[in-house]
Amino acid sequence: MEANAHSPFFSSLAALCQQSFALQAVGDTPAAVTAPWCLTLLAMEIEGAQLQKLAEFLRECHWQVVAVDILAARPGCSVVRLQLDGDIAFDDARLALLELGQELGLELALQAGHTQRAPRLACFDMDSTLIQAEVIDELAKIAGVGDQVAEITLSAMRGELDFQQSFRKRMSLLKGFTEASLAEIAPRIPLMPGAQRLLLALRALGCKTAILSGGFTYFAHYLRDNHLAVDFVHANQLEFNGGALTGGVIDPIVDGARKALLLQQIASELELPLEQVIAVGDGANDLPMLSLGALGIAFHAKPKVRAEAPQAIDGFGLDAALYLFGLNDRQISALLGESAE
């Protein structure tokens, strides 16, 4: 439903959205994006008071809402997309919206209007993004060196070690861990909620997908072969001798810089501009690739990463990223062959 920027809507964004909920079924096709910016609101339930405060913020910023679409309206998930016009400095705006969202209890994702489309390539971190674990930490606990590995991780976080140094030190502590034990662990690592849905939807949209991970190819290949629709895998190779880990590493190590390089290489091989690529991750070593494409989504990330990433999703599963492509629940269900509720 379109909103005239000169109407009294700024004084009652809540009323406008309520009218949109009444007149626009979620099953309708969302309006074509014609505005330079889109702001997506995600919450378990969006309340009038939240919308009123958001309206005040938009008015103060002189950002005009030119269209409203309801992308989801079901128990536990409400998603509204606003098309915005105005003089918006992206970095300043996203930080202001991050602070406002925390105040209001909303997730607010700002993106350029032309990025509200399905990507052609989507690159994912693995640990704590596609799966609910940091594999190296889980291996360390089983090997009885969990505390030592945790201390090395803390040292890296304090800036005393870079990722490559910390990775080599942690791997040295896993010497002797058997391949048979790895085979037992792999099926027990839980997938991130929404991961399968998102990857299947991307494949249905014709989008290629890649795992770019500072974790291990052993587990990334397991995910690709058993659970997730993944086209490319780049991660660290485990070095075995006699069926056990040597404690050494095989170069090159996949750190943040290499993730960014791999994203660009895959896009080049597919003859895709970066404007058709997105990246999703949770850690500081994901920030280089998150800054490259059309969207860079920090998923369930630490505050520092969330503050630096272009977009963020915190309170939902990975499949919530589909709303940032401009899809509503009915379209997503059709892509996945699900029965629409």
Side-chain angles (χ1 to χ4, degrees):
M1 175 181 177
E2 295 191 358
N4 188 315
H6 299 290
S7 73
F9 112 93
F10 274 122
S11 65
S12 184
L13 180 59
L16 180 68
C17 287
Q18 288 167 357
Q19 187 178 9
S20 293
F21 272 104
L23 297 179
Q24 176 191 28
V26 176
D28 294 345
T29 301
V33 174
T34 57
W37 300 97
C38 287
L39 177 63
T40 304
L41 292 60
L42 303 95
M44 293 185 66
E45 183 178 358
I46 299 175
E47 300 177 353
Q50 295 168 313
L51 293 170
Q52 188 63 43
K53 290 182 180 179
L54 176 60
E56 294 170 4
F57 173 87
L58 297 175
R59 182 175 61 249
E60 291 171 0
C61 293
H62 304 289
W63 300 347
Q64 299 178 348
V65 175
V66 297
V68 176
D69 280 288
I70 310 304
L71 303 183
R74 53 187 164 83
C77 182
S78 294
V79 183
V80 175
R81 183 188 69 189
L82 308 179
Q83 292 191 45
L84 300 179
D85 197 0
D87 185 13
I88 296 178
F90 179 74
D91 283 336
D92 291 339
R94 68 174 179 79
L95 288 173
L97 287 165
L98 179 62
E99 183 177 347
L100 179 67
Q102 291 171 341
E103 176 188 335
L104 299 182
L106 292 174
E107 297 189 30
L108 301 171
L110 180 68
Q111 63 191 107
H114 71 270
T115 67
Q116 272 266 323
R117 62 183 181 186
R120 299 287 305 282
L121 171 65
C123 297
F124 294 89
D125 173 49
M126 179 174 66
D127 294 29
S128 297
T129 299
L130 292 174
I131 57 176
Q132 298 183 69
E134 292 288 334
V135 170
I136 196 167
D137 292 343
E138 297 305 310
L139 300 185
K141 291 174 187 176
I142 295 169
V145 292
D147 290 343
Q148 292 167 267
V149 166
E151 179 55 37
I152 294 170
T153 301
L154 285 174
S155 180
M157 291 175 64
R158 291 192 297 261
E160 298 165 0
L161 295 172
D162 65 17
F163 179 84
Q164 293 210 16
Q165 291 174 312
S166 68
F167 183 75
R168 292 179 190 277
K169 291 191 70 171
R170 286 180 289 176
M171 284 304 302
S172 69
L173 293 170
L174 294 177
K175 182 178 181 180
F177 202 97
T178 67
E179 189 168 4
S181 295
L182 293 175
E184 293 176 3
I185 293 166
R188 301 205 300 264
I189 295 176
L191 296 177
M192 189 65 68
Q196 284 182 308
R197 267 185 114 236
L198 175 56
L199 272 292
L200 285 172
L202 286 168
R203 178 157 290 182
L205 289 164
C207 175
K208 297 293 185 180
T209 55
I211 292 176
L212 306 181
S213 173
F216 306 117
T217 53
Y218 187 98
F219 294 92
H221 287 151
Y222 177 86
L223 291 176
R224 181 195 62 189
D225 296 341
N226 294 277
H227 296 296
L228 299 178
V230 174
D231 297 295
F232 307 101
V233 168
H234 293 277
N236 295 303
Q237 298 182 58
L238 293 168
E239 185 178 64
F240 293 98
N241 183 26
L245 293 180
T246 66
V249 301
I250 299 174
D251 290 321
I253 293 173
V254 180
D255 57 8
R258 182 151 181 82
K259 287 186 181 190
L261 177 63
L262 288 166
L263 180 149
Q264 293 174 88
Q265 287 180 347
I266 297 170
S268 178
E269 290 167 5
L270 295 174
E271 299 182 343
L272 296 175
L274 292 179
E275 290 76 16
Q276 295 184 351
V277 180
I278 71 163
V280 184
D282 74 295
N285 64 328
D286 295 313
L287 284 170
M289 73 171 181
L290 296 183
S291 68
L292 288 176
L295 298 176
I297 303 171
F299 180 74
H300 293 192
K302 295 290 191 294
K304 179 182 185 299
V305 179
R306 195 163 57 242
E308 294 187 30
Q311 289 82 31
I313 294 173
D314 290 312
F316 296 87
L318 265 177
D319 51 339
L322 293 166
Y323 299 124
L324 303 189
F325 309 158
L327 300 172
N328 66 16
D329 274 350
R330 181 66 63 87
Q331 292 170 311
I332 295 167
S333 293
L335 271 177
L336 297 172
E338 301 170 344
S339 59
E341 295 183 3

